[in-house]
Amino acid sequence: MEDRIGKLLLDRLEEIRERGEGDVKLKDVGEIVQELITAIQEEIDGNKEIFDFVSSISDEIISMKSDIMSGYGENEDIQMVSARLASVTESTEKAANIIMDSCEAIQAMLPQLGNEYLAEQMMRNCTKIFEACDFQDLTGQHLTRVMKSVSTIEDIVNKVINALDIQIEAPAAQVDRLALEASAKELMNGPSVGSAPSQEDIDDLFDNA
Amino acid sequence: MSINPNISILIVDDYRTMLRIIRNLLSQLGFNNVDEATDGMTALKKIGEKKFDLIISDWNMEPMSGIELLQKVRSDENNMSIPFIMVTAENKPENVVKAKEAGVDNYIVKPFNAETLRGKLVSVLSKQAS
C-alpha cells in the first residue's frame, strides 16, 4: 500500500516539476491530497473485503463449533469430547479383554470335552472370536485420528480468530494438548479406510518392490 | 514343511490387545515360546538379552517404531539375520517399499486372520531354513 501511494505522490510532484511552473499551487496540493485520499480509500476497501470474507469464514466455523459442542452441554469443550473418545477406547479394550478371557477359558476346557470334532469346531470359532477382537486396536486408531483432527481444526479456528482479533462471546475452548498428544502417541497413524489396499495387493507390491 | 514349534518368537505391539491376539493365534499354531514387548526400545533390549528366531512387530509405536527397530536389528551383526515380519495397519505402498528396503521378510496388514499369519510364518521360516 505504502509503495503505491508513495509512487503516486512522487509522480504528481514530478509532473508539477516538469511543467516548470515554479511554486506548487494550492490547487495542485488539493488535487494531490484528493488523489491520495482516493487511493488510500481503495486500499482500505480492498482490505476490508478480505477482512469481511475471512470474518465470515470465522463466524461459520465458530457457529459449526457451537453446533458440535451443543450436544455436549454448556460447560463441555473439545477436551471433554476427546476424553469421551478416549473413554470409548478404554471401554472397548475392557470388552475385548473380557471376550478373550472367556475364549481362553473355553479353549482350556476343550481337551476335556471328549469329542474331538466338537472340540475342533469350538477351537475354530474361538480363533474367529480372537481375530475379531482386533476391532479394539483398529477402532482405537480411528478414534485417535478423529481426536487429532478435532484438535487441528480448533487450532486453525483459534489462529484465525486471534489473527483477526475477532471478539466472540465465549472464548474458544482450549484443548488440553498434553492429553491429546498422550492419546495420539498411543497410535499415531490409523488404519486406512475406503479403498485401502488388501493383503493381496500388499503381497503383490511386496513381491515386486 | 514342518517348523520347529519351539522356536523363540518376539512379538512387539503397543496395544496389549494385539499382543494377546497374536500370542493366542501363535499358540493355536503350536508356537508357545513367545515373548512380548510394547515398543521398539523394549524389544531391542530383549533382543540383546535373548536369541530370537523370529520377530513380529507393529509399525507405529513410541518411543521407537517398528521400522526403526527393524533398521536397528538389521544393522546389528549379531541379529541381522533374524526373520522379521511387520504386522501393521500401515498399508500405504510407500511404507511397504520402505519396510522391504529396510530388510523386512514379510508384511501383514491389519486386520488379519490366523491363516494369513500361518502362511507368512511358513513362508518366512522356510526361506530361512533353505
Side-chain angles (χ1 to χ4, degrees):
Chain A
M1 175 174 163
E2 286 172 6
D3 287 349
R4 202 170 83 84
I5 305 295
K7 188 175 182 307
L8 183 74
L9 181 59
L10 289 173
D11 286 350
R12 290 290 282 130
L13 290 172
E14 183 64 26
E15 197 183 313
I16 292 167
R17 196 175 296 125
E18 281 176 2
R19 283 207 307 257
E21 292 173 356
D23 297 338
V24 178
K25 292 174 183 160
L26 190 60
K27 180 174 160 280
D28 291 326
V29 173
E31 279 176 13
I32 292 171
V33 170
Q34 187 57 51
E35 282 177 30
L36 289 177
I37 289 171
T38 306
I40 291 167
Q41 189 61 49
E42 282 171 2
E43 291 286 346
I44 290 171
D45 288 347
N47 284 341
K48 189 174 180 303
E49 200 177 329
I50 295 168
F51 182 86
D52 289 344
F53 179 67
V54 178
S55 291
S56 70
I57 293 174
S58 299
D59 290 344
E60 281 297 319
I61 296 171
I62 292 163
S63 167
M64 280 166 60
K65 197 168 128 184
S66 299
D67 289 346
I68 293 166
M69 299 314 301
S70 63
Y72 289 90
E74 280 181 11
N75 299 320
E76 294 190 55
D77 56 16
I78 288 180
Q79 186 181 347
M80 280 304 294
V81 177
S82 298
R84 284 171 184 270
L85 292 174
S87 166
V88 171
T89 306
E90 198 178 302
S91 300
T92 56
E93 184 178 2
K94 204 175 280 180
N97 278 321
I98 292 169
I99 293 167
M100 289 190 290
D101 283 345
S102 303
C103 257
E104 281 178 350
I106 293 168
Q107 286 173 328
M109 286 187 277
L110 292 181
Q112 301 160 35
L113 198 61
N115 183 326
E116 201 175 320
Y117 173 77
L118 201 56
E120 195 180 305
Q121 292 301 312
M122 288 178 74
M123 179 62 90
R124 192 167 295 169
N125 282 294
C126 282
T127 302
K128 284 183 183 171
I129 294 171
F130 256 94
E131 289 168 359
C133 282
D134 67 1
F135 75 88
Q136 196 274 324
D137 174 71
L138 299 173
T139 53
Q141 293 188 53
H142 283 306
L143 287 176
T144 303
R145 278 204 162 177
V146 170
M147 286 188 275
K148 284 183 78 176
S149 299
V150 168
S151 169
T152 304
I153 290 168
E154 194 197 32
D155 206 26
I156 293 166
V157 170
N158 287 338
K159 278 179 184 165
V160 171
I161 289 168
N162 290 334
L164 298 174
D165 196 24
I166 296 170
Q167 300 299 316
I168 53 175
E169 284 182 14
Q174 296 299 314
V175 176
D176 183 343
R177 305 287 172 209
L178 292 176
L180 271 179
E181 282 172 13
S183 59
K185 272 181 184 172
E186 286 182 21
L187 281 162
M188 295 179 298
N189 294 295
S192 300
V193 292
S195 58
S198 65
Q199 179 67 51
E200 288 73 26
D201 296 330
I202 295 298
D203 286 345
D204 286 343
L205 181 65
F206 188 84
D207 291 339
N208 296 314
Chain B
M1 181 211 167
S2 65
I3 298 168
N4 177 7
N6 295 318
I7 61 166
S8 57
I9 301 174
L10 176 63
I11 48 178
V12 193
D13 201 305
D14 57 350
Y15 258 42
R16 296 199 179 274
T17 308
M18 278 313 298
L19 286 174
R20 197 168 170 187
I21 292 169
I22 296 171
R23 178 186 276 277
N24 188 280
L25 296 181
L26 286 172
S27 172
Q28 288 175 50
L29 295 172
F31 302 101
N32 290 300
N33 186 4
V34 177
D35 281 68
E36 297 175 357
T38 52
D39 70 276
M41 199 74 88
T42 314
L44 208 56
K45 191 167 177 285
K46 292 200 172 197
I47 292 165
E49 293 165 354
K50 181 180 172 180
K51 181 75 183 165
F52 288 98
D53 300 304
L54 175 66
I55 298 167
I56 299 172
S57 177
D58 183 27
W59 184 302
N60 293 308
M61 297 174 291
E62 289 278 343
M64 186 189 286
S65 69
I67 192 74
E68 288 171 312
L69 172 65
L70 171 63
Q71 288 161 345
K72 294 270 183 197
V73 168
R74 289 290 177 258
S75 62
D76 175 4
E77 60 178 21
N78 293 320
N79 298 304
M80 64 191 335
S81 60
I82 302 176
F84 197 114
I85 297 175
M86 197 72 85
V87 180
T88 175
E90 280 295 330
N91 56 5
K92 294 184 199 117
E94 57 267 32
N95 285 347
V96 180
V97 172
K98 187 177 177 185
K100 184 150 188 193
E101 284 172 354
V104 79
D105 292 280
N106 223 311
Y107 201 100
I108 299 176
V109 182
K110 292 177 185 174
F112 62 97
N113 57 30
E115 191 51 39
T116 301
L117 181 62
R118 192 193 66 79
K120 300 299 180 190
L121 279 174
V122 169
S123 168
V124 167
L125 295 172
S126 57
K127 264 187 204 165
Q128 177 79 357
S130 63

